[in-house]
Amino acid sequence: MTQAPAKPRRTGRRHDREIIALALPAFGALVAEPLFVMVDSAVVGHLGTPQLAGLGVAAALLTTAVSVFVFLAYATTAAVARRVGAGDLSAAIRQGMDGIWLALLLGAAVIAVVLPTAPWLVDVFGASSTAAPYATTYLRISSLGIPAMLVVLAATGVLRGLQDTRTPLYVAIGGFTLNAALNAGLVYGAGLGIAGSAWGTVIAQCGMAAVYLSVVVRGAKRHGASLRPDAAGIRASAQAGVPLLVRTLSLRAVLMIATAVAARLGDADVAAHQIILTLWSLLAFALDAIAIAGQAIIGRYLGAGDVDGAKAACRRMVEWGIASGVVLGILVALARPLFIPLFTTDPAVKDVLLPALLVVAVSQPVSGIVFVLDGVLMGAGDGPYLAGAMLVTLAVFAPVALAVPVLGGGLTALWWSMALMMAVRMVTLWVRTRSGRWIVTGAAR
């Protein structure tokens, strides 16, 4: 009788080991990606203010174009993990290749749009007359690397589905190092200016894509999986990605509305808002790493038909999400006096920043639950529900956020509306998870 709890404890420890083994490398890879833009900014910043401003506009456009297709990683992870759980590695890699072919097709389409419209896009984003030529140059050159960037997303999903998050970490570190070296060499050594920075990023991204492809091709040959494009498979990958695309666009709309509202509150408020978004993004990387582990683990359990294992893993990851959120919230609250001087010395910005950061700290446990359940449902391939839930969240958030300046609220009120947004997401995801309707077993949903 006294030894009855041993099995749950052993099961919990097993899940802990799996989560840590997948989440830690995933976090490293997630953090490495934004460092590309940071390196470009550091190098180009020494060329002059117009060049740096141009880079800022072009990088924002490029990041938006690529982040819209993040479903290439998410949908591929879930689909591959299911087939891994079913014990069919050949079909798993074949599924991954469909995602990679889709990435190449989408990348080619994006290039076809961006190259001729680059000056117009730069103008729409409000680049000044002095910064616009640099922004156009950087955007046109860097857009040539978009197919490679999308291949990296899809191939990352393949490896995550295969329960491998270490290789993406190593590739991200290698890509970051190569990008830094190429930027310095091409911008200053070769005297190419901002064009050299763009070419350095393109070459680094192509190098990363080449490494990923070599890993996937070796796996395909080992397990007898075909590398040829399959129209039906590519179409299925696209169909699985559409709901996640809707989810991503809805989330981007939330962030755009929040920034637009902050801009209406005044210069100090929008400056503080940008600082908070920087911190919020870093916190999101930490929580998203657990979500990525959830995608891979849940997909594998469902593919293997292990319903109890999937439920147990879900419960354990929710506990991880809550604990991580509590820890991150405490760190944000305690580190506020140390964090703020790194970004601003303006008393007006500090005054609005301090209370808003406290809201971010308080809402972190909710964020932890949201990220984990998001990952669980993605791993289950429950994309249509995620799309609907995010649209509901957007419908609730938009009027509340837009009412903030009308009712005389400030930045703290805006971030309470962001906390409300996360709470609505938590409720919608929790209801779905509790219903059990996300649990569909087998090699395909």
Side-chain angles (χ1 to χ4, degrees):
M1 295 288 289
T2 56
Q3 295 185 11
K7 185 177 179 181
R9 282 201 298 269
R10 286 198 298 270
T11 301
R13 286 196 293 268
R14 187 182 77 245
H15 288 315
D16 290 345
R17 287 194 295 270
E18 279 191 314
I19 293 167
I20 292 171
L22 291 170
L24 284 180
F27 175 69
L30 288 169
V31 171
E33 283 301 316
L35 293 178
F36 271 74
V37 177
M38 289 181 64
V39 167
D40 288 5
S41 300
V43 173
V44 171
H46 292 285
L47 295 174
T49 299
Q51 289 91 333
L52 184 58
L55 171 65
V57 171
L61 284 163
L62 190 65
T63 301
T64 300
V66 174
S67 64
V68 163
F69 299 109
V70 74
F71 69 83
L72 288 167
Y74 293 157
T76 304
T77 297
V80 171
R82 275 185 175 271
R83 286 157 177 80
V84 169
D88 193 346
L89 289 177
S90 177
I93 296 174
R94 173 65 262 175
Q95 180 74 40
M97 283 305 306
D98 292 336
I100 290 173
W101 281 112
L102 176 61
L104 286 170
L105 291 174
L106 291 173
V110 174
I111 289 179
V113 172
V114 172
L115 280 180
T117 62
W120 176 78
L121 290 171
V122 166
D123 183 60
V124 167
F125 259 61
S128 67
S129 58
T130 54
Y134 298 109
T136 302
T137 296
Y138 188 93
L139 182 60
R140 276 184 166 155
I141 295 172
S142 60
S143 69
L144 300 177
I146 287 178
M149 296 178 195
L150 299 188
V151 166
V152 167
L153 282 177
T156 299
V158 175
L159 294 181
R160 288 173 181 170
L162 294 171
Q163 317 296 297
D164 175 10
T165 55
R166 289 182 178 272
T167 299
L169 172 61
Y170 300 147
V171 175
I173 292 173
F176 166 73
T177 304
L178 178 61
N179 181 57
L182 287 171
N183 263 265
L186 294 176
V187 171
Y188 299 114
L192 296 180
I194 195 170
S197 177
W199 281 117
T201 299
V202 170
I203 294 170
Q205 291 287 352
C206 288
M208 291 171 66
V211 173
Y212 273 122
L213 288 175
S214 68
V215 173
V216 174
V217 168
R218 281 201 308 271
K221 291 180 177 178
R222 187 182 311 121
H223 297 287
S226 173
L227 297 173
R228 294 179 181 178
D230 176 67
I234 294 172
R235 195 160 48 246
S237 293
Q239 289 171 348
V242 169
L244 295 180
L245 174 61
V246 172
R247 168 199 168 275
T248 300
L249 289 175
S250 300
L251 183 56
R252 297 290 300 183
V254 165
L255 298 177
M256 289 175 65
I257 289 171
T259 299
V261 170
R264 293 176 62 186
L265 296 176
D267 289 347
D269 293 86
V270 74
H273 179 72
Q274 288 305 117
I275 294 172
I276 295 175
L277 276 181
T278 301
L279 175 62
W280 200 66
S281 298
L282 180 61
L283 298 172
F285 286 139
L287 297 174
D288 202 27
I290 304 174
I292 288 169
Q295 293 171 34
I297 293 170
I298 294 297
R300 192 189 75 232
Y301 274 120
L302 293 178
D306 187 351
V307 173
D308 290 338
K311 289 181 177 179
C314 176
R315 285 193 297 270
R316 194 60 174 171
M317 280 182 286
V318 168
E319 292 170 1
W320 269 81
I322 295 171
S324 300
V326 169
V327 171
L328 291 174
I330 292 172
L331 287 175
V332 170
L334 295 179
R336 283 185 304 159
L338 301 175
F339 173 79
I340 292 174
L342 296 176
F343 289 88
T344 183
T345 56
D346 187 334
V349 176
K350 287 183 177 181
D351 287 343
V352 294
L353 188 57
L354 279 166
L357 275 176
L358 193 57
V359 177
V360 173
V362 170
S363 64
Q364 283 309 294
V366 173
S367 297
I369 296 173
V370 168
F371 275 84
V372 166
L373 294 182
D374 208 39
V376 167
L377 297 184
M378 280 186 190
D382 204 11
Y385 182 84
L386 288 171
M390 198 60 225
L391 287 172
V392 169
T393 301
L394 175 59
V396 173
F397 168 78
V400 174
L402 292 172
V404 167
V406 175
L407 298 176
L411 188 67
T412 301
L414 175 60
W415 273 93
W416 274 120
S417 70
M418 289 288 284
L420 171 66
M421 179 270 295
M422 295 302 288
V424 173
R425 288 186 71 190
M426 182 184 70
V427 171
T428 57
L429 297 176
W430 185 265
V431 167
R432 183 65 167 183
T433 307
R434 293 287 294 175
S435 74
R437 294 178 183 175
W438 58 279
I439 301 175
V440 178
T441 59
R445 184 176 173 86

